[in-house]
Amino acid sequence: PKRPPPTVKCYICGREYGTKSISTHEALCLKKWHNENNLLPKKLRKPEPKKTEVKTITAKGYYDLDAINETAWTNAQNPLVPCDNCGRTFLPDKLVIYQRSCKPKPAK
Ligand SMILES: [Zn+2]
Ligand SMILES: [Zn+2]
């Protein structure tokens, strides 16, 4: 039976790509990430995802795919941001949309 080709998760978006196409994808994905991040209000912008290279190569010189994938997965977890008005937490991009309809209570 044929084994599926090994895949690596993109550390930016968390999607899986072949070991050959991952570097091309990551370059594009990072560009896209910056474009989207720049559209967010300043306080909601996220720090640039960082690729952890350290633990990804095993003693035998192979890529440790599990370590790469775990790192990618952790990075793909977006921090939730609380709404200024009601305190509910959202992903930054969802919060922007949500806050259009969540208006602050009128001051006393
Ligand atoms: Zn990606
Ligand atoms: Zn709210």
Side-chain angles (χ1 to χ4, degrees), residues 39-46 78-103:
L39 294 176
L40 293 172
K42 247 189 187 153
K43 65 168 190 164
L44 295 183
R45 283 181 202 171
K46 296 172 260 183
N78 287 307
L80 296 173
V81 187
C83 170
D84 286 339
N85 303 321
C86 64
R88 288 178 66 187
T89 52
F90 298 87
L91 294 175
D93 51 339
K94 298 282 186 300
L95 179 61
V96 175
I97 299 162
Y98 172 75
Q99 281 195 325
R100 283 180 205 149
S101 58
C102 183
K103 296 276 179 284

Side-chain angles (χ1 to χ4, degrees), residues 9-17 22 25-30 32-33:
K9 270 189 190 174
C10 168
Y11 73 99
I12 303 150
C13 68
R15 272 176 281 198
E16 293 189 12
Y17 290 87
I22 185 73
H25 167 79
E26 281 179 353
L28 287 171
C29 198
L30 190 62
K32 194 172 157 255
W33 183 92

